[in-house]
Amino acid sequence: MIALKKLLAASAIALSLMTAVSTVALPAPTASAAEIYATNGHKFVNTAKSYIGKVTYRFGVNNPSKLILDCSAFTKLVFAKNGVTLPWGSKAQAKFGTKVSSKSKLAIGDLVMFSVGTPGVINHVGIYVGGGKFISNTKSSGVTISSLTSGYWSSRFIMGRHY
């Protein structure tokens, strides 16, 4: 009987040690904030690209059911399709998230703000796709990918916003 009690006590100690060791040895895997951000950024870009050739641009219009949208209604729709609520209007979206002042610090999926009228006044928005390019809905081309580093948009960039 005493031998059985010693055996049970030894088994209980061994079991508790095994549980403690396995808990320490096998931590739960977690994704870093950067990994989560990168994944979400690609989702936004892929959603935006899916609208190429399907959206009609009209200034001051936010009609997602008919896909008649201005630039900020387009970014609002893309973000909403991925579970993020944005306000309508490029100036309002310029207050969303964290400011990114340099093109070199943009991450895929960031909002990018431009001035197409009065210098320094935000009145156009798009989504950074990487490689110095962004996607937006424009009067001249509808949903299109453009360069941030050359051509029309390069001198009109004001800032980006991390969400």
Side-chain angles (χ1 to χ4, degrees):
M1 187 71 140
I2 293 176
L4 183 57
K5 286 183 181 180
K6 286 183 180 179
L7 181 60
L8 287 174
S11 296
I13 291 170
L15 184 58
S16 68
L17 286 174
M18 287 178 18
T19 303
V21 170
S22 66
T23 301
V24 173
L26 301 172
T30 58
S32 71
E35 290 167 327
I36 292 168
Y37 187 85
T39 300
N40 288 336
H42 286 290
K43 288 179 185 177
F44 287 81
V45 169
N46 290 337
T47 300
K49 286 179 178 179
S50 76
Y51 286 102
I52 293 174
K54 298 176 183 173
V55 174
T56 300
Y57 177 90
R58 192 163 304 142
F59 178 76
V61 176
N62 180 13
N63 189 337
S65 63
K66 292 187 178 181
L67 294 180
I68 302 172
L69 309 164
D70 66 11
C71 62
S72 64
F74 174 67
T75 54
K76 182 179 188 290
L77 172 68
V78 169
F79 274 58
K81 292 286 183 181
N82 290 282
V84 177
T85 302
L86 282 181
W88 183 29
S90 56
K91 288 181 184 90
Q93 289 178 8
K95 297 174 184 169
F96 180 76
T98 306
K99 184 177 180 180
V100 181
S101 59
S102 165
K103 291 178 190 177
S104 65
K105 294 182 181 178
L106 289 169
I108 293 171
D110 282 349
L111 291 173
V112 284
M113 281 47 183
F114 302 89
S115 176
V116 294
T118 305
V121 176
I122 293 169
N123 49 21
H124 187 72
V125 62
I127 301 168
Y128 188 66
V129 301
K133 297 184 183 298
F134 73 101
I135 188 167
S136 68
N137 190 24
T138 66
K139 181 179 179 179
S140 60
S141 305
V143 177
T144 189
I145 297 174
S146 305
S147 175
L148 273 173
T149 58
S150 64
Y152 180 82
W153 298 105
S154 64
S155 64
R156 290 171 169 80
F157 175 81
I158 296 178
M159 71 172 158
R161 301 297 288 193
H162 288 304
Y163 52 89

